[in-house]
Amino acid sequence: MTHKTPPRKLYWMIAVLLLLFVCFLTAMVQCLKLPPNGEAVTVISADASPHAHTPEEPTPEPSLSPVQTPSPTPFPTAEPKELLVSSIPDDPYPELYGDNPNQEFDVSEEYTIYLTFDDGPSGSTPALLDVLREECVPATFFILEDKYPEILRQAYKDGHTLGVHSDSHTYQYVYWNMESFLADFSRSYHNIWSATGYRPRIFRFPGGSVNSYNRHLIWDLVTEMEGRGFVYHDWNVTSEDASSAKTYEEQLEALLKYSEKKTRIIALMHDTDKNPWIADLVREYIHIMKDRGYRFEALSSRVEPIHFTMPTP
Ligand SMILES: [Zn+2]
């Protein structure tokens, strides 16, 4: 009896069937791993780029991602502001708006002094805050430095007004054109906002509103910033600590000289490290002026400002 050998073709068919069976089993195992709703879990890594997905893949929902990218908004409590006036096309600073677009001011009482301190905070500021607290005197700080956010927060907690001054304080840059002014202003504004959560409403031009660096631009700047609802404050009394008065005695003398016969005073001083005695100076000035019947208030966007005389446009 001869044993008939199966044809080679049959072996190939069995092999192919086995292979198909293994593939089928593998597919079944994969199906059993899916979640109950049958959707595949998409995991997005933090640095996943759009190119990681083929065009056929649906865009994954952010809620499916185990890694949520932090919101890029670094500032608290953005209050939407109605756009007022901007001369800048496609305004790059839509958040830069104050709250006094109609420039309406409260009537000030006479014999009122608004102490203002520019270019701080500094190492001199904590002692100054102590004196203001002891004397129950609110004041106004036009901010330059972003090195001392804790001091800035303390000044705000103490009830003082914070205003924008500058970020660079470089006159040639600040007054180069409208864009450079707004860029510098925006950085200072955001420094205050991010340190305190407070959005400033008032500002002081570096060098005052009228100076030799901005004559080509000042009308446009005023129109732009008042259109945005900000109020700027110059001064009518100064300690001359940024110019001729270098000592405690000279600065007190200047303050008292300019204060003569004025019933409404916005006094300029600088709380920088160049003025280590500013706390004592302010205490003495407060005592003298209280004896003369003056009261002290902080500036705001509702306080009628003192402005320098503008040049002819
Ligand atoms: Zn300044």
Side-chain angles (χ1 to χ4, degrees):
M1 204 173 151
T2 58
H3 183 76
K4 192 178 177 183
T5 307
R8 183 170 291 185
K9 201 173 173 182
L10 187 61
Y11 286 128
W12 276 111
M13 285 179 67
I14 291 169
V16 168
L17 283 172
L18 278 173
L19 192 62
L20 286 171
F21 185 64
V22 168
C23 287
F24 175 74
L25 281 180
T26 308
M28 288 298 292
V29 168
Q30 289 297 323
C31 284
L32 289 173
K33 283 182 182 174
L34 288 176
N37 63 6
E39 292 174 11
V41 175
T42 308
V43 177
I44 311 163
S45 69
D47 58 353
S49 75
H51 306 294
H53 302 283
T54 61
E56 299 80 50
E57 287 179 298
T59 306
E61 289 293 324
S63 60
L64 294 174
S65 169
V67 181
Q68 294 291 331
T69 307
S71 164
T73 307
F75 307 114
T77 59
E79 307 155 21
K81 282 277 177 187
E82 184 185 349
L83 293 186
L84 304 172
V85 176
S86 174
S87 63
I88 308 292
D90 300 323
D91 185 1
Y93 306 104
E95 76 286 14
L96 281 191
Y97 288 91
D99 62 355
N100 201 3
N102 300 317
Q103 306 292 315
E104 291 178 353
F105 304 112
D106 298 331
V107 177
S108 293
E109 289 186 41
E110 294 219 311
Y111 291 91
T112 302
I113 296 175
Y114 302 90
L115 296 176
T116 69
F117 303 98
D118 287 11
D119 295 3
S122 72
S124 304
T125 311
L128 174 59
L129 291 176
D130 289 345
V131 166
L132 295 172
R133 204 176 300 120
E134 289 161 16
E135 300 293 335
C136 295
V137 165
T140 305
F141 292 82
F142 290 105
I143 303 304
L144 170 64
E145 292 287 352
D146 63 352
K147 288 188 297 188
Y148 304 98
E150 310 81 26
I151 300 176
L152 209 54
R153 277 192 284 278
Q154 189 59 53
Y156 180 62
K157 277 187 208 163
D158 286 359
H160 304 299
T161 298
L162 306 180
V164 171
H165 190 39
S166 179
D167 179 61
S168 69
H169 215 289
T170 305
Y171 295 135
Q172 291 90 339
Y173 168 70
V174 172
Y175 296 126
W176 182 255
N177 57 28
M178 181 69 73
E179 284 76 8
S180 63
F181 178 86
L182 284 172
D184 182 82
F185 186 100
S186 174
R187 283 192 288 273
S188 179
Y189 180 93
H190 282 150
N191 286 341
I192 297 168
W193 187 4
S194 59
T196 65
Y198 171 69
R199 301 177 68 177
R201 311 303 196 212
I202 63 172
F203 72 103
R204 173 166 283 158
F205 285 103
S209 63
V210 179
N211 59 66
S212 57
Y213 293 89
N214 69 8
R215 285 176 177 268
H216 62 293
L217 199 61
I218 186 58
W219 283 103
D220 290 344
L221 293 178
V222 167
T223 302
E224 175 75 24
M225 300 314 290
E226 289 186 346
R228 287 174 180 266
F230 287 103
V231 174
Y232 71 95
H233 293 274
D234 287 316
W235 59 88
N236 62 351
V237 166
T238 170
S239 66
E240 292 189 332
D241 57 2
S243 52
S244 57
K246 302 300 178 197
T247 66
Y248 179 104
E249 292 74 19
E250 288 171 343
Q251 291 173 11
L252 182 62
E253 186 184 336
L255 283 172
L256 297 176
K257 177 182 72 177
Y258 291 117
S259 299
E260 284 291 330
K261 298 179 182 169
K262 289 192 175 77
T263 57
R264 193 167 177 277
I265 290 172
I266 296 182
L268 165 68
M269 287 168 266
H270 294 80
D271 62 329
T272 66
D273 292 328
K274 291 178 186 168
N275 270 346
W277 52 74
I278 189 161
D280 292 331
L281 177 73
V282 166
R283 182 191 285 111
E284 186 162 4
Y285 180 64
I286 289 172
H287 287 175
I288 293 170
M289 299 309 281
K290 276 183 176 174
D291 286 346
R292 294 181 184 178
Y294 287 83
R295 56 200 287 277
F296 290 83
E297 294 289 346
L299 291 175
S300 76
S301 61
R302 301 292 309 184
V303 172
E304 186 177 2
I306 288 172
H307 287 165
F308 296 160
T309 304
M310 297 284 275
T312 308

